[in-house]
Amino acid sequence: NAGVTQTPKFQVLKTGQSMTLQCAQDMNHEYMSWYRQDPGMGLRLIHYSVGAGITDQGEVPNGYNVSRSTTEDFPLRLLSAAPSQTSVYFCASSYRQGYRYEQYFGPGTRLTVT
Amino acid sequence: AQSVTQLDSQVPVFEEAPVELRCNYSSSVSVYLFWYVQYPNQGLQLLLKYLSGSTLVKGINGFEAEFNKSQTSFHLRKPSVHISDTAEYFCAVSARSSGDKLTFGTGTRLAVRP
């Protein structure tokens, strides 16, 4: 049971390049989400998914796309990288049934856009 | 929409002293409340959560928090801190109706000194 895994751990992009941040979980959690963490701003929700085939926007979705073709994977795509997207990105998965609640965050991807 | 305010960006404290990290939230609907800890260069780990029931919630590593609905607060406490508690602590809220969409505070850095 690996929990939530993210790749790569570090990435440097030039402005205008595109890339995909990978996120996978092996806990069969229905709910997955992407956050970005910037100094002094806490974490902000980018996109989330309540199950395979279902995604929706969070607080800061502009410049990012997601898809959820399987329960396990939830990749985040940067269409045309901008310096404002320099951040640390965290993927999370969670499960809730009644008052049972489990949530796990991945280790993060540190992205620098030059 | 929900919002979270963590009034203290940094809290210095001596080892074995008690500590309280403050969190206030704003919401027009019923909420779930969470505290997370982030050690340097790592992801977030769930410390404790309030979903329902007793307003005093106990978490991992000896931390506890009390939900106060009238004051819209969820302060985190520990009676005696250790050097290893040095980390960033985030308070988060989600509306009960919106699944696991979390709104985070800006974080409090706890610095434990010997």
Side-chain angles (χ1 to χ4, degrees):
Chain A
N1 190 333
V4 179
T5 58
Q6 291 184 238
T7 56
K9 295 194 72 171
F10 302 94
Q11 183 71 49
V12 178
L13 290 178
K14 294 187 187 305
T15 297
Q17 287 184 315
S18 63
M19 79 158 295
T20 299
L21 308 185
Q22 301 292 345
C23 174
Q25 53 95 4
D26 60 358
M27 298 168 284
N28 203 33
H29 287 169
E30 290 296 320
Y31 192 94
M32 296 185 73
S33 50
W34 277 102
Y35 293 85
R36 59 177 289 172
Q37 182 178 24
D38 302 294
M41 300 188 73
L43 280 78
R44 292 179 291 168
L45 181 64
I46 305 171
H47 285 285
Y48 66 98
S49 168
V50 299
I54 306 170
T55 64
D56 205 347
Q57 297 181 351
E59 180 185 354
V60 288
N62 293 340
Y64 308 95
N65 272 358
V66 292
S67 60
R68 184 99 178 268
S69 57
T70 67
T71 299
E72 294 77 21
D73 300 297
F74 190 43
L76 178 72
R77 281 180 285 277
L78 280 70
L79 309 174
S80 177
S84 61
Q85 293 179 304
T86 293
S87 187
V88 182
Y89 292 85
F90 290 100
C91 178
S93 75
S94 57
Y95 165 85
R96 188 198 304 265
Q97 184 173 34
Y99 295 118
R100 181 184 168 194
Y101 179 84
E102 299 175 1
Q103 186 191 63
Y104 299 94
F105 278 79
T109 294
R110 186 173 295 273
L111 175 68
T112 302
V113 182
T114 62
Chain B
Q2 293 74 46
S3 67
V4 176
T5 301
Q6 292 183 247
L7 294 167
D8 306 302
S9 60
Q10 294 191 65
V11 173
V13 63
F14 287 106
E15 193 173 19
E16 298 184 6
V19 70
E20 178 179 82
L21 306 185
R22 296 180 292 169
C23 172
N24 288 89
Y25 70 93
S26 173
S27 177
S28 58
V29 299
S30 296
V31 297
Y32 298 126
L33 293 156
F34 308 85
W35 274 100
Y36 292 86
V37 60
Q38 184 179 34
Y39 299 103
N41 299 313
Q42 294 189 25
L44 275 71
Q45 181 181 10
L46 182 63
L47 266 181
L48 49 79
K49 60 186 181 290
Y50 172 77
L51 302 183
S52 71
S54 172
T55 57
L56 182 62
V57 179
K58 293 189 183 299
I60 62 172
N61 301 342
F63 284 94
E64 65 180 31
E66 185 155 20
F67 170 53
N68 188 319
K69 188 174 181 180
S70 63
Q71 297 187 4
T72 60
S73 67
F74 191 55
H75 301 332
L76 180 70
R77 295 190 289 259
K78 187 170 183 178
S80 176
V81 296
H82 303 289
I83 296 287
S84 59
D85 292 323
T86 294
E88 189 95 21
Y89 292 80
F90 293 94
C91 181
V93 63
S94 70
R96 292 185 177 224
S97 60
S98 66
D100 297 342
K101 292 170 60 178
L102 295 169
T103 298
F104 284 84
T106 52
T108 297
R109 173 158 177 75
L110 177 64
V112 181
R113 304 169 177 173

